Amino acid sequence: MAGIVIIGAGHGGTQLAVSLREEGYEGPVTVISADPDHPYHKPPLSKSFMKTPDAALQPLRAPQVFADQDIDLRLGVRVETVDRANKRLTLSDGTSCSYDKLVLATGTEARKLTVPGGDLRGVFTLRTAEDARALRAALPEATQVVVIGGGFIGLEAAAMLAGRGLSVSVVELAPRLLGRAASAGIAFEVETILTGMGVQVRTGTELCDIVGGQGQVTGVRIADETLPADLVIVGIGALPVDDLARAAGLEIDNGIAVNAVLQSSDPEIYALGDCASFPDPESGERRRLESVQNATDQARALAKTLAGRVTPYAAVPWFWSDIGAMKLQIAGLLQGAENSIESRTPEGRLKSVYHLKAGRLVAVETINSAGEHMLARQMLAAGFTPEADLMRGGDPRQLKAAFVAAQS
Amino acid sequence: MVKLTFIEPSGNRREIEAAPGQSVMVAATTAGIAGIEAECGGSCVCATCHCRVVEGGAALPEMEEAERDTLEFTSDAMGETSRLTCQIEVSEALDGAVFEVVGH
Ligand SMILES: Cc1cc2nc3c(=O)[nH]c(=O)nc-3n(C[C@H](O)[C@H](O)[C@H](O)COP(=O)(O)OP(=O)(O)OC[C@H]3O[C@@H](n4cnc5c(N)ncnc54)[C@H](O)[C@@H]3O)c2cc1C
Ligand code: FES
């Protein structure tokens, strides 16, 4: 018996391996990952890992857990081809490996710059532990940093580097930060916080190229100006890693297309996490999300299915980002929301935004309001929409009282 | 090294050694304590590092607002002694503390 083979030991692949055992699956479980580091948490890479020079990677599960659960973890090995007819993989170490069921949990890779200069020394992306170590090693020498792209990872890095006393600019092509990932009100608060930390935020700014001398970056050219830089972080988004699936002829639609039980167009092959697009449980619209929650909850659902209890994926999406002292949390999905209700602190600062669609609550964004976020996840799961005044008030205790009353 | 004891969801008791300065969650996950998923890696947003403090509670640092709120509004049953272990820094004062893993 070849058992279940998982490609990728990131958040999704690791959770799946562990959950398969929790669900009572007793066959062989093999996890093959190109990343040579023992499976680690990615979010800290742009947060705490950067702050202290010797902070260690945080293991997703202790090495001992893989051994105890009889999970065959093969690190630093890339899967090169998938032979669907014979259910066999060829690997970069020259060996091959058979599967009964295959799961692609291959994640995303950084989108590459198309302008010249992206290969200069001092230009970094931030997706893997190796990237983070390289960036961290370059920090003591750096004084002026330009972050290209106003997405979460770039902004977290910008805040952290500004906190270390570096001069930091952010260059974003769109008229505001965070694009479709957050609402305009929240993006404005994020910009205010960053500006308050001394970060220069340049939205609506087109990048011309990255310039350097002797192979080392010296600046970033925008329109008729050059921003001096000895370190550049490129954070212009991520692309699903679907090369294996493409080559194997699986259906691709914004990543590897899967159905409600995360099965690809080949019934023996599944996909989950950042690399997979799945039908929204309610609207059927295809979505691909990049978050820890999405990867781990999909892994939990798929573990049940593979252990014999077919379980469609349906969890409330949630996400967080730590930008300096600001904790931004999002529950639900902003896409398709029609109107919103804002809640502010007594000082008038934006604290939360409740998003509605056809009168129903679909998403809640919060800033430094952890209780409201946790409650929002439960309200969304239950399909509960509080009275407008309660949302405007944004008091989690009152919201909870209304929620509890409606549940009984 | 500081000795900490965890009662895993199965009832199994395990004593581990933790280094001062790391979080109780990191010490526990590094040692492979069952039931602490620590999905958010210590950002105080997932509540999957929730434990009840059985012994040694007096030595723990006070809860900050984010931890209190996350615990109060999670769907887990919160108890008087509930803590998010990612928010507790290991120190010599914690030696001998006992945590009961809530699990999911
Ligand atoms: C710096 C950073 C900060 C982040 N912060 C947050 C945050 O605050 N909150 C949040 O919710 N999310 C955050 N994310 C996103 C989150 O980490 C991802 O959504 C999550 O890792 C997705 O899990 P995954 O299992 O789908 O993919 P990954 O964790 O990316 O794992 C994919 C794995 O597949 C392997 N692989 C790919 N191709 C092959 C192949 N052919 N053969 C073998 N192995 C292969 C890769 O080496 C990798 O190990 C952050 C991401 C980064 C990079
Ligand atoms: S690890 Fe997520 S709240 Fe502690």
Side-chain angles (χ1 to χ4, degrees), chain A residues 7-14 32-36 40-47 60 77-80 105-108 126-128 152-153 156 241 243-244 272-275 289-293 295-296 318-322, chain B residues 43:
Chain A
I7 308 180
H11 285 262
T14 299
I32 304 172
S33 201
D35 197 318
Y40 53 89
H41 283 273
K42 287 197 163 168
L45 297 181
S46 52
K47 306 176 179 81
L60 284 170
V77 180
R78 178 172 294 278
V79 177
E80 292 186 328
T106 47
T108 45
L126 187 46
R127 298 287 327 160
T128 63
F152 284 116
I153 293 176
E156 287 182 353
V241 176
D243 50 336
L244 283 175
L272 58 78
D274 279 16
C275 69
L289 303 177
E290 293 170 10
S291 72
V292 167
Q293 173 280 324
T296 49
W318 59 266
F319 180 82
W320 84 99
S321 177
D322 296 321
Chain B
S43 272

Side-chain angles (χ1 to χ4, degrees), chain A residues 11 15 22 41 44 47 58-59 61-62 64-65 292-293 296-297 300 318 320 322 327 329 370-371 374-375 377-378 396-397 400, chain B residues 14 25-26 29-33 36-48 65-66 68-75:
Chain A
H11 285 262
Q15 182 69 48
E22 283 167 6
H41 283 273
K47 306 176 179 81
Q58 242 172 271
R61 292 293 187 286
Q64 176 205 330
V65 172
V292 167
Q293 173 280 324
T296 49
D297 280 344
R300 292 185 183 105
W318 59 266
W320 84 99
D322 296 321
K327 185 172 294 294
Q329 291 172 278
M374 291 309 266
L375 187 60
R377 278 158 55 175
Q378 294 163 61
R397 283 178 189 85
K400 186 174 179 175
Chain B
R14 275 184 61 196
M25 176 279 283
V26 166
T29 50
T30 307
I33 296 293
I36 299 189
E37 298 213 330
E39 190 164 336
C40 76
S43 272
C44 196
V45 298
C46 71
T48 63
E65 194 181 321
R68 188 182 305 280
D69 278 7
T70 301
L71 271 169
E72 182 174 346
F73 292 96
T74 163
S75 48

Side-chain angles (χ1 to χ4, degrees), chain B residues 6-22:
Chain B
F6 291 85
I7 305 169
E8 297 181 328
S10 63
N12 186 27
R13 268 179 100 93
R14 275 184 61 196
E15 189 181 271
I16 67 163
E17 303 228 310
Q22 66 181 176

Side-chain angles (χ1 to χ4, degrees), chain A residues 119-133:
Chain A
D119 49 0
L120 288 165
R121 240 181 304 117
V123 179
F124 296 90
T125 52
L126 187 46
R127 298 287 327 160
T128 63
E130 196 184 329
D131 295 343
R133 277 191 294 257

Side-chain angles (χ1 to χ4, degrees), chain A residues 64-118:
Chain A
Q64 176 205 330
V65 172
F66 292 87
D68 290 351
Q69 302 293 322
D70 196 15
I71 296 164
D72 181 5
L73 179 63
R74 302 193 202 164
L75 300 175
V77 180
R78 178 172 294 278
V79 177
E80 292 186 328
T81 59
V82 178
D83 173 357
R84 288 164 52 194
N86 297 302
K87 294 175 116 183
R88 257 188 115 64
L89 310 174
T90 57
L91 312 181
S92 59
D93 61 3
T95 64
S96 67
C97 168
S98 297
Y99 64 86
D100 292 322
K101 303 274 181 207
L102 178 66
V103 182
L104 298 160
T106 47
T108 45
E109 60 191 0
R111 187 191 293 271
K112 301 253 162 29
L113 273 181
T114 50
V115 303

